[in-house]
Amino acid sequence: DGGITQSPKYLFRKEGQNVTLSCEQNLNHDAMYWYRQDPGQGLRLIYYSQIVNDFQKGDIAEGYSVSREKKESFPLTVTSAQKNPTAFYLCASTNTHGSPDTQYFGPGTRLTVL
Amino acid sequence: KNQVEQSPQSLIILEGKNCTLQCNYTVSPFSNLRWYKQDTGRGPVSLTIMTFSENTKSNGRYTATLDADTKQSSLHITASQLSDSASYICVVSRGELGNYQLIWGAGTKLIIKP
């Protein structure tokens, strides 16, 4: 898991609720990413950030929002607009976006809708 | 279409046996190929990375091969151990300097039985 932490490990959401997943890194990486993982599918990119105060939509950004106020932190909010949020969420970071550097992952947060 | 396909979807072998996992890709322009190991409920961890000119890369009991002509890669695990039980994900990086995109396979779930 390197120097990336995610919390909580498990999260339960009721219908209509917004929830926020935390991601912190101490690797001094500029770029950070949020992925969603569903059974039998490859990782899908939700949002990414190249630098502080900048972020870009990935392939499945609808129903999600992010912020990047500090280099170390990249929280993800799953809004009530996300109709099927039950999944395993992974945060990752790398030195520079757009480079071939290895992405380092956090331990993940499993979100379940009740 | 840029795709990464892995086979088999799942595999069960006895402890001590060898196995080979396959990855076929249709990604252009090709930059590099990585294999990640993902333990259940954890984030992926990088095992190997290969560029266009590399045919083989080893990491302990893990050996990855790359055939850029046929666009195939394999991950060979020697003398398997119970701790090898995990999902193995093939990831291909496409693009050019400063603008890389990751294409993720769905993974092969490997179970090692005592």
Side-chain angles (χ1 to χ4, degrees), chain B residues 81-112:
Chain B
Q81 300 176 359
L82 296 178
S83 59
D84 292 330
S85 293
S87 288
Y88 293 84
I89 304 173
C90 175
V91 186
V92 179
S93 178
R94 67 176 292 268
E96 297 168 332
L97 189 62
N99 187 25
Y100 292 103
Q101 178 189 15
L102 298 181
I103 312 298
W104 294 82
T108 291
K109 182 166 181 150
L110 177 64
I111 298 173
I112 311 297

PDB file of all heavy atoms in Angstrom, chain B residues 81-112:
ATOM      1  N   GLN B  81       3.036 -20.661  -3.928  1.00  0.00           N
ATOM      2  CA  GLN B  81       2.846 -20.683  -2.484  1.00  0.00           C
ATOM      3  C   GLN B  81       1.440 -20.183  -2.167  1.00  0.00           C
ATOM      4  O   GLN B  81       0.812 -19.507  -2.984  1.00  0.00           O
ATOM      5  CB  GLN B  81       3.893 -19.780  -1.818  1.00  0.00           C
ATOM      6  CG  GLN B  81       5.324 -20.190  -2.089  1.00  0.00           C
ATOM      7  CD  GLN B  81       6.341 -19.227  -1.505  1.00  0.00           C
ATOM      8  OE1 GLN B  81       5.995 -18.216  -0.896  1.00  0.00           O
ATOM      9  NE2 GLN B  81       7.623 -19.540  -1.695  1.00  0.00           N
ATOM     10  N   LEU B  82       0.977 -20.510  -0.966  1.00  0.00           N
ATOM     11  CA  LEU B  82      -0.375 -20.093  -0.572  1.00  0.00           C
ATOM     12  C   LEU B  82      -0.536 -18.577  -0.675  1.00  0.00           C
ATOM     13  O   LEU B  82      -1.613 -18.073  -1.000  1.00  0.00           O
ATOM     14  CB  LEU B  82      -0.686 -20.572   0.840  1.00  0.00           C
ATOM     15  CG  LEU B  82      -0.727 -22.086   1.043  1.00  0.00           C
ATOM     16  CD1 LEU B  82      -1.001 -22.423   2.509  1.00  0.00           C
ATOM     17  CD2 LEU B  82      -1.768 -22.738   0.143  1.00  0.00           C
ATOM     18  N   SER B  83       0.534 -17.848  -0.428  1.00  0.00           N
ATOM     19  CA  SER B  83       0.475 -16.382  -0.468  1.00  0.00           C
ATOM     20  C   SER B  83       0.344 -15.830  -1.894  1.00  0.00           C
ATOM     21  O   SER B  83       0.119 -14.627  -2.074  1.00  0.00           O
ATOM     22  CB  SER B  83       1.725 -15.792   0.173  1.00  0.00           C
ATOM     23  OG  SER B  83       2.882 -16.235  -0.515  1.00  0.00           O
ATOM     24  N   ASP B  84       0.473 -16.708  -2.876  1.00  0.00           N
ATOM     25  CA  ASP B  84       0.281 -16.272  -4.265  1.00  0.00           C
ATOM     26  C   ASP B  84      -1.193 -16.146  -4.616  1.00  0.00           C
ATOM     27  O   ASP B  84      -1.546 -15.614  -5.678  1.00  0.00           O
ATOM     28  CB  ASP B  84       0.939 -17.247  -5.246  1.00  0.00           C
ATOM     29  CG  ASP B  84       2.457 -17.240  -5.151  1.00  0.00           C
ATOM     30  OD1 ASP B  84       3.031 -16.174  -4.810  1.00  0.00           O
ATOM     31  OD2 ASP B  84       3.076 -18.295  -5.399  1.00  0.00           O
ATOM     32  N   SER B  85      -2.068 -16.647  -3.749  1.00  0.00           N
ATOM     33  CA  SER B  85      -3.506 -16.520  -3.992  1.00  0.00           C
ATOM     34  C   SER B  85      -3.885 -15.045  -4.041  1.00  0.00           C
ATOM     35  O   SER B  85      -3.728 -14.316  -3.060  1.00  0.00           O
ATOM     36  CB  SER B  85      -4.302 -17.212  -2.878  1.00  0.00           C
ATOM     37  OG  SER B  85      -4.115 -18.606  -2.919  1.00  0.00           O
ATOM     38  N   ALA B  86      -4.363 -14.614  -5.204  1.00  0.00           N
ATOM     39  CA  ALA B  86      -4.653 -13.196  -5.425  1.00  0.00           C
ATOM     40  C   ALA B  86      -5.212 -13.041  -6.833  1.00  0.00           C
ATOM     41  O   ALA B  86      -5.295 -14.018  -7.584  1.00  0.00           O
ATOM     42  CB  ALA B  86      -3.387 -12.356  -5.289  1.00  0.00           C
ATOM     43  N   SER B  87      -5.573 -11.815  -7.177  1.00  0.00           N
ATOM     44  CA  SER B  87      -5.893 -11.496  -8.570  1.00  0.00           C
ATOM     45  C   SER B  87      -4.672 -10.860  -9.210  1.00  0.00           C
ATOM     46  O   SER B  87      -3.976 -10.067  -8.569  1.00  0.00           O
ATOM     47  CB  SER B  87      -7.082 -10.541  -8.643  1.00  0.00           C
ATOM     48  OG  SER B  87      -8.276 -11.192  -8.304  1.00  0.00           O
ATOM     49  N   TYR B  88      -4.434 -11.223 -10.460  1.00  0.00           N
ATOM     50  CA  TYR B  88      -3.288 -10.690 -11.197  1.00  0.00           C
ATOM     51  C   TYR B  88      -3.821  -9.887 -12.379  1.00  0.00           C
ATOM     52  O   TYR B  88      -4.576 -10.400 -13.196  1.00  0.00           O
ATOM     53  CB  TYR B  88      -2.360 -11.818 -11.646  1.00  0.00           C
ATOM     54  CG  TYR B  88      -1.703 -12.478 -10.464  1.00  0.00           C
ATOM     55  CD1 TYR B  88      -2.347 -13.484  -9.752  1.00  0.00           C
ATOM     56  CD2 TYR B  88      -0.451 -12.052 -10.024  1.00  0.00           C
ATOM     57  CE1 TYR B  88      -1.758 -14.054  -8.641  1.00  0.00           C
ATOM     58  CE2 TYR B  88       0.150 -12.625  -8.912  1.00  0.00           C
ATOM     59  CZ  TYR B  88      -0.509 -13.623  -8.226  1.00  0.00           C
ATOM     60  OH  TYR B  88       0.076 -14.190  -7.114  1.00  0.00           O
ATOM     61  N   ILE B  89      -3.433  -8.629 -12.413  1.00  0.00           N
ATOM     62  CA  ILE B  89      -4.005  -7.694 -13.377  1.00  0.00           C
ATOM     63  C   ILE B  89      -2.931  -7.224 -14.353  1.00  0.00           C
ATOM     64  O   ILE B  89      -1.838  -6.832 -13.941  1.00  0.00           O
ATOM     65  CB  ILE B  89      -4.613  -6.462 -12.661  1.00  0.00           C
ATOM     66  CG1 ILE B  89      -5.643  -6.912 -11.623  1.00  0.00           C
ATOM     67  CG2 ILE B  89      -5.259  -5.532 -13.670  1.00  0.00           C
ATOM     68  CD1 ILE B  89      -6.175  -5.786 -10.753  1.00  0.00           C
ATOM     69  N   CYS B  90      -3.271  -7.276 -15.627  1.00  0.00           N
ATOM     70  CA  CYS B  90      -2.389  -6.799 -16.695  1.00  0.00           C
ATOM     71  C   CYS B  90      -2.843  -5.388 -17.087  1.00  0.00           C
ATOM     72  O   CYS B  90      -4.043  -5.142 -17.274  1.00  0.00           O
ATOM     73  CB  CYS B  90      -2.491  -7.751 -17.889  1.00  0.00           C
ATOM     74  SG  CYS B  90      -1.588  -7.256 -19.354  1.00  0.00           S
ATOM     75  N   VAL B  91      -1.910  -4.480 -17.192  1.00  0.00           N
ATOM     76  CA  VAL B  91      -2.224  -3.084 -17.514  1.00  0.00           C
ATOM     77  C   VAL B  91      -1.300  -2.609 -18.628  1.00  0.00           C
ATOM     78  O   VAL B  91      -0.083  -2.740 -18.516  1.00  0.00           O
ATOM     79  CB  VAL B  91      -2.027  -2.162 -16.298  1.00  0.00           C
ATOM     80  CG1 VAL B  91      -2.505  -0.756 -16.605  1.00  0.00           C
ATOM     81  CG2 VAL B  91      -2.740  -2.698 -15.085  1.00  0.00           C
ATOM     82  N   VAL B  92      -1.878  -2.079 -19.670  1.00  0.00           N
ATOM     83  CA  VAL B  92      -1.072  -1.569 -20.779  1.00  0.00           C
ATOM     84  C   VAL B  92      -1.168  -0.054 -20.828  1.00  0.00           C
ATOM     85  O   VAL B  92      -2.269   0.517 -20.748  1.00  0.00           O
ATOM     86  CB  VAL B  92      -1.535  -2.164 -22.120  1.00  0.00           C
ATOM     87  CG1 VAL B  92      -0.694  -1.597 -23.267  1.00  0.00           C
ATOM     88  CG2 VAL B  92      -1.424  -3.686 -22.092  1.00  0.00           C
ATOM     89  N   SER B  93      -0.028   0.582 -20.933  1.00  0.00           N
ATOM     90  CA  SER B  93       0.025   2.041 -21.040  1.00  0.00           C
ATOM     91  C   SER B  93       0.134   2.422 -22.514  1.00  0.00           C
ATOM     92  O   SER B  93       0.995   1.914 -23.238  1.00  0.00           O
ATOM     93  CB  SER B  93       1.232   2.572 -20.261  1.00  0.00           C
ATOM     94  OG  SER B  93       1.332   3.966 -20.396  1.00  0.00           O
ATOM     95  N   ARG B  94      -0.765   3.286 -22.955  1.00  0.00           N
ATOM     96  CA  ARG B  94      -0.733   3.735 -24.347  1.00  0.00           C
ATOM     97  C   ARG B  94      -0.491   5.229 -24.390  1.00  0.00           C
ATOM     98  O   ARG B  94      -0.806   5.944 -23.452  1.00  0.00           O
ATOM     99  CB  ARG B  94      -2.048   3.413 -25.062  1.00  0.00           C
ATOM    100  CG  ARG B  94      -3.252   4.179 -24.565  1.00  0.00           C
ATOM    101  CD  ARG B  94      -4.495   3.877 -25.397  1.00  0.00           C
ATOM    102  NE  ARG B  94      -4.391   4.399 -26.744  1.00  0.00           N
ATOM    103  CZ  ARG B  94      -4.827   5.606 -27.116  1.00  0.00           C
ATOM    104  NH1 ARG B  94      -5.393   6.415 -26.232  1.00  0.00           N
ATOM    105  NH2 ARG B  94      -4.716   6.010 -28.376  1.00  0.00           N
ATOM    106  N   GLY B  95       0.059   5.678 -25.476  1.00  0.00           N
ATOM    107  CA  GLY B  95       0.229   7.110 -25.641  1.00  0.00           C
ATOM    108  C   GLY B  95       1.672   7.483 -25.916  1.00  0.00           C
ATOM    109  O   GLY B  95       2.515   6.644 -26.218  1.00  0.00           O
ATOM    110  N   GLU B  96       1.919   8.746 -25.776  1.00  0.00           N
ATOM    111  CA  GLU B  96       3.239   9.287 -26.047  1.00  0.00           C
ATOM    112  C   GLU B  96       3.662  10.158 -24.877  1.00  0.00           C
ATOM    113  O   GLU B  96       2.858  10.432 -23.990  1.00  0.00           O
ATOM    114  CB  GLU B  96       3.206  10.095 -27.355  1.00  0.00           C
ATOM    115  CG  GLU B  96       2.872   9.241 -28.557  1.00  0.00           C
ATOM    116  CD  GLU B  96       2.547  10.071 -29.787  1.00  0.00           C
ATOM    117  OE1 GLU B  96       2.076  11.208 -29.631  1.00  0.00           O
ATOM    118  OE2 GLU B  96       2.766   9.563 -30.886  1.00  0.00           O
ATOM    119  N   LEU B  97       4.907  10.583 -24.906  1.00  0.00           N
ATOM    120  CA  LEU B  97       5.470  11.320 -23.783  1.00  0.00           C
ATOM    121  C   LEU B  97       4.546  12.447 -23.351  1.00  0.00           C
ATOM    122  O   LEU B  97       4.152  13.302 -24.147  1.00  0.00           O
ATOM    123  CB  LEU B  97       6.825  11.888 -24.176  1.00  0.00           C
ATOM    124  CG  LEU B  97       7.638  12.513 -23.043  1.00  0.00           C
ATOM    125  CD1 LEU B  97       7.958  11.464 -21.986  1.00  0.00           C
ATOM    126  CD2 LEU B  97       8.906  13.140 -23.575  1.00  0.00           C
ATOM    127  N   GLY B  98       4.222  12.450 -22.074  1.00  0.00           N
ATOM    128  CA  GLY B  98       3.380  13.476 -21.491  1.00  0.00           C
ATOM    129  C   GLY B  98       1.896  13.225 -21.605  1.00  0.00           C
ATOM    130  O   GLY B  98       1.099  13.985 -21.073  1.00  0.00           O
ATOM    131  N   ASN B  99       1.503  12.152 -22.270  1.00  0.00           N
ATOM    132  CA  ASN B  99       0.075  11.899 -22.456  1.00  0.00           C
ATOM    133  C   ASN B  99      -0.197  10.410 -22.498  1.00  0.00           C
ATOM    134  O   ASN B  99      -0.566   9.858 -23.541  1.00  0.00           O
ATOM    135  CB  ASN B  99      -0.414  12.571 -23.743  1.00  0.00           C
ATOM    136  CG  ASN B  99      -1.923  12.486 -23.879  1.00  0.00           C
ATOM    137  OD1 ASN B  99      -2.639  12.367 -22.883  1.00  0.00           O
ATOM    138  ND2 ASN B  99      -2.407  12.519 -25.098  1.00  0.00           N
ATOM    139  N   TYR B 100      -0.002   9.744 -21.352  1.00  0.00           N
ATOM    140  CA  TYR B 100      -0.207   8.306 -21.289  1.00  0.00           C
ATOM    141  C   TYR B 100      -1.564   7.995 -20.685  1.00  0.00           C
ATOM    142  O   TYR B 100      -2.084   8.707 -19.831  1.00  0.00           O
ATOM    143  CB  TYR B 100       0.884   7.634 -20.459  1.00  0.00           C
ATOM    144  CG  TYR B 100       2.241   7.687 -21.100  1.00  0.00           C
ATOM    145  CD1 TYR B 100       3.205   8.587 -20.669  1.00  0.00           C
ATOM    146  CD2 TYR B 100       2.565   6.830 -22.143  1.00  0.00           C
ATOM    147  CE1 TYR B 100       4.438   8.647 -21.262  1.00  0.00           C
ATOM    148  CE2 TYR B 100       3.808   6.879 -22.745  1.00  0.00           C
ATOM    149  CZ  TYR B 100       4.742   7.789 -22.302  1.00  0.00           C
ATOM    150  OH  TYR B 100       5.965   7.848 -22.891  1.00  0.00           O
ATOM    151  N   GLN B 101      -2.127   6.891 -21.133  1.00  0.00           N
ATOM    152  CA  GLN B 101      -3.408   6.419 -20.621  1.00  0.00           C
ATOM    153  C   GLN B 101      -3.255   4.940 -20.275  1.00  0.00           C
ATOM    154  O   GLN B 101      -2.613   4.190 -21.013  1.00  0.00           O
ATOM    155  CB  GLN B 101      -4.490   6.586 -21.696  1.00  0.00           C
ATOM    156  CG  GLN B 101      -5.857   6.080 -21.289  1.00  0.00           C
ATOM    157  CD  GLN B 101      -6.827   6.074 -22.449  1.00  0.00           C
ATOM    158  OE1 GLN B 101      -6.431   6.189 -23.601  1.00  0.00           O
ATOM    159  NE2 GLN B 101      -8.098   5.939 -22.152  1.00  0.00           N
ATOM    160  N   LEU B 102      -3.833   4.534 -19.154  1.00  0.00           N
ATOM    161  CA  LEU B 102      -3.755   3.137 -18.732  1.00  0.00           C
ATOM    162  C   LEU B 102      -4.998   2.387 -19.151  1.00  0.00           C
ATOM    163  O   LEU B 102      -6.117   2.849 -18.921  1.00  0.00           O
ATOM    164  CB  LEU B 102      -3.595   3.053 -17.218  1.00  0.00           C
ATOM    165  CG  LEU B 102      -2.343   3.691 -16.619  1.00  0.00           C
ATOM    166  CD1 LEU B 102      -2.324   3.494 -15.115  1.00  0.00           C
ATOM    167  CD2 LEU B 102      -1.081   3.115 -17.247  1.00  0.00           C
ATOM    168  N   ILE B 103      -4.795   1.209 -19.763  1.00  0.00           N
ATOM    169  CA  ILE B 103      -5.880   0.317 -20.143  1.00  0.00           C
ATOM    170  C   ILE B 103      -5.768  -0.928 -19.259  1.00  0.00           C
ATOM    171  O   ILE B 103      -4.777  -1.664 -19.344  1.00  0.00           O
ATOM    172  CB  ILE B 103      -5.810  -0.080 -21.626  1.00  0.00           C
ATOM    173  CG1 ILE B 103      -5.607   1.159 -22.526  1.00  0.00           C
ATOM    174  CG2 ILE B 103      -7.065  -0.841 -22.034  1.00  0.00           C
ATOM    175  CD1 ILE B 103      -6.727   2.159 -22.462  1.00  0.00           C
ATOM    176  N   TRP B 104      -6.780  -1.153 -18.427  1.00  0.00           N
ATOM    177  CA  TRP B 104      -6.728  -2.210 -17.419  1.00  0.00           C
ATOM    178  C   TRP B 104      -7.440  -3.465 -17.900  1.00  0.00           C
ATOM    179  O   TRP B 104      -8.538  -3.397 -18.458  1.00  0.00           O
ATOM    180  CB  TRP B 104      -7.399  -1.743 -16.125  1.00  0.00           C
ATOM    181  CG  TRP B 104      -6.682  -0.633 -15.440  1.00  0.00           C
ATOM    182  CD1 TRP B 104      -6.753   0.693 -15.729  1.00  0.00           C
ATOM    183  CD2 TRP B 104      -5.773  -0.763 -14.347  1.00  0.00           C
ATOM    184  NE1 TRP B 104      -5.940   1.410 -14.882  1.00  0.00           N
ATOM    185  CE2 TRP B 104      -5.334   0.555 -14.029  1.00  0.00           C
ATOM    186  CE3 TRP B 104      -5.296  -1.833 -13.602  1.00  0.00           C
ATOM    187  CZ2 TRP B 104      -4.429   0.789 -12.991  1.00  0.00           C
ATOM    188  CZ3 TRP B 104      -4.392  -1.584 -12.579  1.00  0.00           C
ATOM    189  CH2 TRP B 104      -3.961  -0.283 -12.283  1.00  0.00           C
ATOM    190  N   GLY B 105      -6.822  -4.635 -17.650  1.00  0.00           N
ATOM    191  CA  GLY B 105      -7.513  -5.901 -17.832  1.00  0.00           C
ATOM    192  C   GLY B 105      -8.388  -6.194 -16.625  1.00  0.00           C
ATOM    193  O   GLY B 105      -8.262  -5.532 -15.581  1.00  0.00           O
ATOM    194  N   ALA B 106      -9.274  -7.173 -16.764  1.00  0.00           N
ATOM    195  CA  ALA B 106     -10.198  -7.523 -15.681  1.00  0.00           C
ATOM    196  C   ALA B 106      -9.559  -8.410 -14.633  1.00  0.00           C
ATOM    197  O   ALA B 106     -10.122  -8.600 -13.554  1.00  0.00           O
ATOM    198  CB  ALA B 106     -11.442  -8.201 -16.251  1.00  0.00           C
ATOM    199  N   GLY B 107      -8.384  -8.979 -14.944  1.00  0.00           N
ATOM    200  CA  GLY B 107      -7.668  -9.770 -13.960  1.00  0.00           C
ATOM    201  C   GLY B 107      -7.948 -11.258 -14.055  1.00  0.00           C
ATOM    202  O   GLY B 107      -8.965 -11.695 -14.599  1.00  0.00           O
ATOM    203  N   THR B 108      -7.008 -12.045 -13.525  1.00  0.00           N
ATOM    204  CA  THR B 108      -7.170 -13.490 -13.342  1.00  0.00           C
ATOM    205  C   THR B 108      -7.104 -13.762 -11.850  1.00  0.00           C
ATOM    206  O   THR B 108      -6.146 -13.359 -11.183  1.00  0.00           O
ATOM    207  CB  THR B 108      -6.047 -14.273 -14.045  1.00  0.00           C
ATOM    208  OG1 THR B 108      -6.195 -14.147 -15.450  1.00  0.00           O
ATOM    209  CG2 THR B 108      -6.091 -15.744 -13.646  1.00  0.00           C
ATOM    210  N   LYS B 109      -8.130 -14.449 -11.355  1.00  0.00           N
ATOM    211  CA  LYS B 109      -8.152 -14.795  -9.923  1.00  0.00           C
ATOM    212  C   LYS B 109      -7.481 -16.150  -9.754  1.00  0.00           C
ATOM    213  O   LYS B 109      -7.949 -17.153 -10.295  1.00  0.00           O
ATOM    214  CB  LYS B 109      -9.578 -14.844  -9.405  1.00  0.00           C
ATOM    215  CG  LYS B 109      -9.640 -15.160  -7.921  1.00  0.00           C
ATOM    216  CD  LYS B 109     -11.011 -14.885  -7.351  1.00  0.00           C
ATOM    217  CE  LYS B 109     -10.989 -15.192  -5.859  1.00  0.00           C
ATOM    218  NZ  LYS B 109     -11.918 -14.354  -5.115  1.00  0.00           N
ATOM    219  N   LEU B 110      -6.390 -16.163  -9.000  1.00  0.00           N
ATOM    220  CA  LEU B 110      -5.609 -17.379  -8.776  1.00  0.00           C
ATOM    221  C   LEU B 110      -5.808 -17.866  -7.350  1.00  0.00           C
ATOM    222  O   LEU B 110      -5.651 -17.095  -6.395  1.00  0.00           O
ATOM    223  CB  LEU B 110      -4.125 -17.110  -9.028  1.00  0.00           C
ATOM    224  CG  LEU B 110      -3.165 -18.262  -8.761  1.00  0.00           C
ATOM    225  CD1 LEU B 110      -3.450 -19.425  -9.701  1.00  0.00           C
ATOM    226  CD2 LEU B 110      -1.722 -17.805  -8.893  1.00  0.00           C
ATOM    227  N   ILE B 111      -6.155 -19.136  -7.210  1.00  0.00           N
ATOM    228  CA  ILE B 111      -6.320 -19.743  -5.898  1.00  0.00           C
ATOM    229  C   ILE B 111      -5.330 -20.884  -5.779  1.00  0.00           C
ATOM    230  O   ILE B 111      -5.304 -21.776  -6.643  1.00  0.00           O
ATOM    231  CB  ILE B 111      -7.759 -20.261  -5.701  1.00  0.00           C
ATOM    232  CG1 ILE B 111      -8.744 -19.092  -5.782  1.00  0.00           C
ATOM    233  CG2 ILE B 111      -7.885 -20.990  -4.361  1.00  0.00           C
ATOM    234  CD1 ILE B 111     -10.200 -19.520  -5.769  1.00  0.00           C
ATOM    235  N   ILE B 112      -4.519 -20.838  -4.729  1.00  0.00           N
ATOM    236  CA  ILE B 112      -3.556 -21.898  -4.459  1.00  0.00           C
ATOM    237  C   ILE B 112      -4.097 -22.769  -3.325  1.00  0.00           C
ATOM    238  O   ILE B 112      -4.376 -22.256  -2.230  1.00  0.00           O
ATOM    239  CB  ILE B 112      -2.182 -21.330  -4.053  1.00  0.00           C
ATOM    240  CG1 ILE B 112      -1.722 -20.245  -5.038  1.00  0.00           C
ATOM    241  CG2 ILE B 112      -1.152 -22.455  -3.945  1.00  0.00           C
ATOM    242  CD1 ILE B 112      -1.514 -20.729  -6.445  1.00  0.00           C
TER     243      ILE B 112
END
